[in-house]
Amino acid sequence: MAGQQDGRETPLDCIVVGGGPAGLTAGIYLARFRRRFLLVDSGQSRAAWIPRSHNHPGFPGGVNGIELLERMREQLSRQGGGLVEGSVSGAACHQDGLFRVAIGDQTFAASHLILATGVIDVEPPLPNVLEAVRRGLVRQCPICDAFEMIDRSLVVIGSGATGLGEALFLRTYTPHIVLVTLGQPLGLDDASRRRMHEAGIEAIETPIVEITLEGDRLARLICADGRVLIFDAVYSALGIHPRADLAAALGVALYPDRRIVTDDHQRTSLDGCYGAGDIVTGLNQLGVAMAQAQIAAVDVHNRLRAREGLCLPS
Ligand SMILES: Cc1cc2nc3c(=O)[nH]c(=O)nc-3n(C[C@H](O)[C@H](O)[C@H](O)COP(=O)(O)OP(=O)(O)OC[C@H]3O[C@@H](n4cnc5c(N)ncnc54)[C@H](O)[C@@H]3O)c2cc1C
């Protein structure tokens, strides 16, 4: 926490919920604006699952997700900021215009709130799936890492428009793609099925008896009809669950998929409350999360400067 007070007696300038790339960026900016803030994180950043990101600008040799988070925490600490480990269990906006958040049996108050709570991936039902994600055998994000899969053989687990959409995206990189629905109906209309066949994508709708992951590179599928198929990697197109409980409790406007609605300044429908990162956007990327947090933190600072009489009347 930056500043002299901890928000229990004197309200803080801002509370940032979430210490992934978005929340940490907000913290770095708020610290550099010499703001009094609390950054709280429950340690479940998606970034921690990135084996090595090769698309994040500035790292020509790629960067491991945990290393990136550690670098950002160090940067925060060098600006005099800090991160409190814990989970915000409740948040409310009171008539005095202050946000109050509960962490354990303590309550903290602030004039601004940045929600950077992220999303949770729906993982495919595979043995040791989290270890496989960590090793890059099960992948979540073709925008992030399909370039590393050129001409490899890939399974996309999913169905409907989402599953086929991901398979078609991957088609830029490799012709060897099979869409596996895990026994669910394919859920595609005739036009989409035609598009799939034209792109040379095969669909397997029969149940899968077994999927085993071997080493860092191979997935072996045993289908109910006896076929055995071997692939270099599995992409999951099963979607995500936004961590939107706090936003919902605050009454912040959400899209039907429960992501937060924001304007160009990352402001939510609730005055003084902001959203940044995966919880906001459809484009789940490190750089997008960081940029949104920068915009939010600058807007918080500018609002506070206006209250302090430190900017020109507009
Ligand atoms: C396997 C994988 C590979 C990826 N590869 C890439 C890549 O190569 N390039 C790229 O650009 N992107 C990649 N991504 C996406 C990237 O990780 C995310 O876009 C990024 O982490 C989003 O940052 P965020 O801060 O919004 O959310 P997160 O990183 O998920 O952080 C949210 C944080 O909020 C905390 N939190 C939630 N609720 C609470 C609460 N109530 N109280 C306290 N804390 C709370 C969580 O514990 C978590 O630490 C990848 C994602 C995955 C899963």
Side-chain angles (χ1 to χ4, degrees):
M1 184 182 309
Q4 302 298 310
Q5 308 287 327
D6 63 8
R8 281 170 291 196
E9 297 88 22
T10 310
L12 298 161
D13 294 325
C14 189
I15 294 172
V16 183
V17 187
L24 284 166
T25 301
I28 291 165
Y29 271 56
L30 290 168
R32 293 179 62 80
F33 293 142
R34 309 186 69 197
R35 290 296 165 192
R36 296 171 56 258
F37 66 95
L38 173 71
L39 166 54
V40 56
D41 181 56
S42 55
Q44 305 288 316
S45 171
R46 283 183 90 214
W49 293 100
I50 304 176
R52 195 151 203 90
S53 172
H54 293 277
N55 75 336
H56 187 55
F59 292 90
V63 61
N64 168 266
I66 291 174
E67 184 195 334
L68 181 66
L69 291 169
E70 280 168 1
R71 280 169 173 259
M72 294 182 75
R73 278 192 210 115
E74 186 192 334
Q75 190 174 357
L76 174 66
S77 135
R78 287 193 191 199
Q79 324 293 331
L83 178 150
V84 172
E85 290 177 8
S87 184
V88 172
S89 55
C93 180
H94 291 252
Q95 282 191 336
D96 57 7
L98 293 177
F99 295 95
R100 287 186 174 78
V101 305
I103 305 169
D105 57 6
Q106 294 184 307
T107 303
F108 297 86
S111 55
H112 296 82
L113 180 67
I114 298 178
L115 297 172
T117 47
V119 301
I120 302 169
D121 293 282
V122 179
E123 301 295 356
L126 305 181
N128 302 322
V129 65
L130 295 182
E131 184 52 30
V133 172
R134 211 180 284 290
R135 296 204 314 249
L137 182 51
V138 171
R139 294 168 176 246
Q140 314 286 352
C141 172
I143 291 177
C144 305
D145 50 30
F147 187 81
E148 278 67 45
M149 290 285 113
I150 290 172
D151 287 336
R152 303 280 181 81
S153 54
L154 303 175
V155 178
V156 175
I157 294 184
S159 56
T162 311
L164 179 58
E166 187 143 327
L168 287 169
F169 184 94
L170 286 163
R171 189 61 186 76
T172 301
Y173 300 91
T174 177
H176 314 297
I177 301 170
V178 174
L179 180 59
V180 171
T181 67
L182 297 177
Q184 299 299 310
L186 189 53
L188 293 176
D189 59 22
D190 289 347
S192 299
R193 277 180 188 263
R194 258 199 313 282
R195 182 67 52 87
M196 183 177 78
H197 293 309
E198 284 161 11
I201 296 166
E202 185 192 349
I204 297 182
E205 289 176 83
T206 53
I208 301 298
V209 177
E210 194 179 328
I211 304 183
T212 54
L213 307 172
E214 298 178 13
D216 281 351
R217 289 283 303 278
L218 290 181
R220 183 191 302 269
L221 267 70
I222 304 176
C223 307
D225 59 12
R227 275 185 293 174
V228 177
L229 306 160
I230 293 180
F231 296 90
D232 289 313
V234 175
Y235 274 88
S236 170
L238 298 177
I240 46 98
H241 290 310
R243 288 199 193 91
D245 288 353
L246 292 177
L250 284 160
V252 162
L254 303 177
Y255 287 110
D257 71 353
R258 284 177 61 79
R259 294 209 213 188
I260 297 175
V261 177
T262 60
D263 69 7
D264 290 350
H265 297 277
Q266 300 307 129
R267 297 172 184 165
T268 70
S269 59
L270 188 60
D271 190 43
C273 180
Y274 295 74
D278 285 0
I279 185 65
V280 166
T281 177
L283 186 53
N284 296 341
Q285 294 285 279
L286 296 165
V288 175
M290 293 174 182
Q292 290 179 339
Q294 291 162 344
I295 292 167
V298 169
D299 204 69
V300 168
H301 181 53
N302 284 343
R303 276 172 54 117
L304 289 163
R305 284 197 308 125
R307 285 182 197 178
E308 293 157 356
L310 294 178
C311 56
L312 289 170
S314 56

